[in-house]
Amino acid sequence: MSINSKQSVKCPNCSQMSDVTVWSSITVKDSADLKADLLSGKINMFKCPSCEHIALMPNPLLYHDEDKKLMISFTPTNDPVVKEQMFTNIKDSSSKSGELSKLEGYNLRFVTDYNELLEKVLIFDNELNDKAVEVIKLMILSQDIEKSEQRNCRFGKVCDDGLEFMIHDFIENQVYTSTVPKSSYDTVYASLIESGMKPYSFDWEMVNSTYATRLLNGFNNNF
């Protein structure tokens, strides 16, 4: 069930008070329109009616797509210590509550970045696996290894030529695109499956560049 609440918020820019609808849960089967709003960047985004300042609300959100067997827990933070603690908490609480036994065959993801949340939804909407996508993102960034640390790569869409990725260079303040043939994705995915990676989760996971590096080093999601 999709759940929301009303909150009175003071604008951090002009101090104007206004009411905001904050969503704590989105269930796709019940609320397809909310999914569209999420992908448009409208969910849990505060926009001041006075000065038009825009900011992300610091509230957690649970995204559930039963048909795709996908559940994403999102809590915004930039603090790596807080991120690890929250990840540990959700794993512990799910284990103790018995929730995991009801989510067999699901992909369970924990994210703390709003754009990563949207990216995960798009990846699974396109019938792709984010673990293979993360490996491909590393491969794209490694093509210019000297600048890889100053760049961020995100999945964009599936097009006629294959999978399109957006590369943002923070130093040069430039955005590039890179297209990878679908056959390359299929090869990477098949190779990961052959190496022991499972296409579903046994527990909550943070599937990101760090996870992809571990996959390339020979680990899989049985650890």
Side-chain angles (χ1 to χ4, degrees):
M1 174 171 41
S2 298
I3 303 171
N4 68 53
S5 61
K6 291 284 188 180
Q7 294 187 15
S8 185
V9 178
K10 178 188 288 188
C11 176
N13 186 54
C14 71
S15 298
Q16 172 74 32
M17 297 296 296
S18 58
D19 291 333
V20 181
T21 298
V22 177
W23 292 91
S24 58
S25 176
I26 293 177
T27 302
V28 174
K29 182 172 287 187
D30 300 334
S31 313
D33 56 329
L34 288 177
K35 177 181 176 179
D37 285 345
L38 175 67
L39 292 174
S40 298
K42 299 177 182 177
I43 296 294
N44 291 359
M45 280 292 183
F46 165 78
K47 183 175 181 179
C48 179
S50 179
C51 70
E52 298 190 345
H53 177 76
I54 297 175
L56 175 67
M57 297 292 293
N59 300 74
L61 172 69
L62 183 67
Y63 177 89
H64 184 196
D65 190 329
E66 186 176 350
D67 291 338
K68 296 187 181 303
K69 290 195 170 184
L70 173 66
M71 189 173 286
I72 307 173
S73 177
F74 165 65
T75 304
T77 182
N78 294 318
D79 188 321
V81 175
V82 173
K83 180 178 181 177
E84 286 295 333
Q85 185 58 59
M86 289 190 300
F87 182 51
T88 298
N89 289 343
I90 192 173
K91 287 167 66 74
D92 288 347
S93 62
S94 293
S95 176
K96 292 176 182 177
S97 68
E99 175 189 46
L100 292 176
S101 63
K102 302 175 184 178
L103 298 172
E104 185 176 354
Y106 265 73
N107 276 298
L108 306 173
R109 300 291 182 263
F110 175 77
V111 300
T112 57
D113 180 88
Y114 194 79
N115 288 324
E116 186 179 5
L117 166 64
L118 304 186
E119 181 187 37
K120 295 294 185 191
V121 174
L122 287 174
I123 289 171
F124 285 97
D125 271 3
N126 282 279
E127 306 298 333
L128 303 172
N129 183 281
D130 61 335
K131 296 174 183 178
V133 169
E134 289 294 334
V135 169
I136 290 175
K137 287 162 62 174
L138 283 184
M139 296 167 64
I140 291 173
L141 292 176
S142 68
Q143 292 175 0
D144 194 346
I145 196 66
E146 293 183 356
K147 295 184 177 181
S148 62
E149 293 297 322
Q150 68 191 52
R151 291 179 174 177
N152 180 43
C153 183
R154 297 275 186 204
F155 170 75
K157 62 182 180 180
V158 173
C159 54
D160 292 339
D161 296 329
L163 279 61
E164 185 177 280
F165 293 82
M166 308 297 293
I167 300 96
H168 181 202
D169 191 306
F170 301 103
I171 302 299
E172 298 176 358
N173 195 27
Q174 296 288 328
V175 176
Y176 309 90
T177 62
S178 177
T179 302
V180 176
K182 180 59 163 56
S183 58
S184 296
Y185 165 85
D186 293 337
T187 299
V188 169
Y189 180 71
S191 177
L192 292 174
I193 291 294
E194 185 177 349
S195 72
M197 184 196 82
K198 298 297 186 294
Y200 49 83
S201 301
F202 295 100
D203 202 343
W204 288 95
E205 299 176 290
M206 284 194 290
V207 177
N208 48 27
S209 59
T210 301
Y211 189 98
T213 300
R214 298 180 74 174
L215 283 178
L216 291 176
N217 288 334
F219 294 93
N220 57 54
N221 64 338
N222 282 316
F223 56 77

